[in-house]
């Protein structure tokens, strides 16, 4: 692989695992990724999901940063409509002040939750409409000049934390192009508009003081294992877990029940979400990712290692890095 490879750590809480164990696994993954040559690790803001431990995204980044030394860390992403731009500028300005040159800030406009959780977050359902203006306000706090007279982020002002626009549609692509910011496409779970969005971004990109040329990060799922058969078992277990998450209503499906759902019309959506998945031995995974990078017209790949145990995710991280020649 000639492109840089990064990691999207979903901070998965596996079956029978505690949130504390999941977060310890995130630290272990970051420490391993740092030694193996991955470019960055991002964590996503999700709320009210029993299987994901990254809801307090900036807190998790701070903890991982304190237990690593060189790898870039960031949000992939912060759902900006859930927050005031000033609050996020202060949080990530603090992170950058404590860990200079290591912090990224990816921004999305989705809720990262359901309707009830949106209400619990005190989120205005119309707040996504002001996302472009909120991005610019946030940028003003971090890089200047502030757009709100007399209001500065401390820490934050002058830290120039790099911003990335995240998206799964043409909206984010066009916004990133208009603002001259890098663009990350969530093709690891929303594959449909990948090529159209990237093409629109590259076509409409306007250089800025932050970025001279377009820069695309594309997401893919990865399950690398020593044996191909075991890798396919792991991806099947991941999809079964998603059946319980999306359709279980608080209960766990048996493997047979989950497989029946996956074979139903409703279950096809879960399979479709996983369209871009590299599964198998390390060599097979690298071959897939090389083709995917060309398909996505990407400058960088960010991969979500999909497995229900920390041990299997760490093994996948290691196998991919070695097969791709990271850090060589």
């Amino acid at each position: 692989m000639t492109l840089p490879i990064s990691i999207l750590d979903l901070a998965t809480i596996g079956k029978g695992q505690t949130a504390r164990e999941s977060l310890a696994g995130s630290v272990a993954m970051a420490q391993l990724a740092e030694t193996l040559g991955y470019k960055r690790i991002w964590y996503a803001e999700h709320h009210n999901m029993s299987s994901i431990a990254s809801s307090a995204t900036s807190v998790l980044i701070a903890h991982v940063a304190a237990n690593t030394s060189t790898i870039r860390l960031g949000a992939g992403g912060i759902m900006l409509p859930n927050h005031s731009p000033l609050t996020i500028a202060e949080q990530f300005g603090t992170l950058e002040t404590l860990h200079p040159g290591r912090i990224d800030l990816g921004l999305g406009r989705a809720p990262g939750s359901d309707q009830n959780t949106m209400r619990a977050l005190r989120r205005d359902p119309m707040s996504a409409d002001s996302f472009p203006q909120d991005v610019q306000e946030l940028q003003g706090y971090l890089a200047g000049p502030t757009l709100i007279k007399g209001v500065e982020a401390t820490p934050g002002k002058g830290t120039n934390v790099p911003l990335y626009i995240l998206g799964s549609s043409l909206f984010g692509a066009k916004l990133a192009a208009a603002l001259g910011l890098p663009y990350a496409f969530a093709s690891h779970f929303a594959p449909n508009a990948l090529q159209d969005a990237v093409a629109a971004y590259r076509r409409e990109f306007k250089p800025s003081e932050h970025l001279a040329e377009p820069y695309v990060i594309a997401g893919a799922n990865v399950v690398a294992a020593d044996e191909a058969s075991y890798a396919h078992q792991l991806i099947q277990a991941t999809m079964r877990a998603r059946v319980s998450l999306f359709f279980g209503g608080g209960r766990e499906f048996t493997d047979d029940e989950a497989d029946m759902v996956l074979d139903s019309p409703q279950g096809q959506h879960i399979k479709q979400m996983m369209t871009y998945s590299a599964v198998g031995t390390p060599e097979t995974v690298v071959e897939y990712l090389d083709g995917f990078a060309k398909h996505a017209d990407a400058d960088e790949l960010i991969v979500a290692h999909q497995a229900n145990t920390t041990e299997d995710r760490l093994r996948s991280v290691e196998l991919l890095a070695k097969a791709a020649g990271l850090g060589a």
Side-chain angles (χ1 to χ4, degrees), residues 83-102:
H83 314 273
S84 75
L86 177 60
T87 297
I88 297 305
E90 291 170 340
Q91 290 178 7
F92 280 79
T94 299
L95 287 169
E96 175 64 23
T97 300
L98 293 171
H99 308 282
R102 297 182 57 201

Side-chain angles (χ1 to χ4, degrees), residues 91-314:
Q91 290 178 7
F92 280 79
T94 299
L95 287 169
E96 175 64 23
T97 300
L98 293 171
H99 308 282
R102 297 182 57 201
I103 303 301
D104 300 326
L105 178 48
L107 301 167
R109 68 175 182 134
S113 57
D114 55 31
Q115 294 292 323
N116 284 336
T117 308
M118 283 172 58
R119 285 192 286 272
L121 287 166
R122 305 297 192 267
R123 181 179 191 265
D124 181 347
M126 304 303 293
S127 56
D129 294 344
S130 63
F131 180 67
Q133 293 78 22
D134 288 346
V135 171
Q136 291 174 296
E137 181 183 338
L138 173 57
Q139 193 171 42
Y141 292 133
L142 295 171
T146 179
L147 300 186
I148 308 298
K149 186 177 180 180
V151 179
E152 304 281 5
T154 306
K157 181 180 179 180
T159 55
N160 296 293
V161 176
L163 303 185
Y164 297 75
I165 300 298
L166 277 58
S168 57
S169 68
L170 294 183
F171 179 91
K174 290 175 176 290
L175 177 61
L179 297 179
L181 293 174
Y183 179 56
F185 192 90
S187 37
H188 64 290
F189 76 90
N192 288 347
L194 170 62
Q195 290 184 301
D196 288 342
V198 171
Y201 169 69
R202 291 194 180 279
R203 182 175 61 249
E204 300 181 20
F205 180 83
K206 297 179 180 178
S208 69
E209 60 181 304
H210 307 286
L211 191 66
E213 297 179 348
Y215 192 86
V216 172
I217 303 175
N221 301 290
V222 164
V223 183
D226 294 286
E227 300 293 337
S229 58
Y230 188 58
H232 286 281
Q233 289 177 33
L234 294 178
I235 198 69
Q236 183 71 10
T238 295
M239 289 193 288
R240 287 168 176 164
R242 292 192 177 189
V243 169
S244 295
L245 179 65
F246 294 145
F247 301 114
R251 80 173 183 90
E252 291 284 334
F253 285 83
T254 67
D255 288 351
D256 288 342
E257 289 171 336
D259 288 344
M260 288 178 63
V261 173
L262 288 170
D263 288 336
S264 71
Q266 295 87 345
Q268 293 305 305
H269 174 64
I270 293 177
K271 291 183 177 179
Q272 189 267 342
M273 289 172 66
M274 305 287 287
T275 295
Y276 295 122
S277 296
V279 182
T281 61
E283 295 75 17
T284 299
V285 167
V286 168
E287 182 179 3
Y288 179 94
L289 291 178
D290 189 52
F292 171 71
K294 296 180 177 67
H295 172 79
D297 194 14
D299 300 293
E300 178 181 335
L301 299 182
I302 189 163
V303 301
H305 291 273
Q306 299 285 359
N308 290 332
T309 70
T310 298
E311 293 74 20
D312 285 328
R313 286 194 294 276
L314 294 180

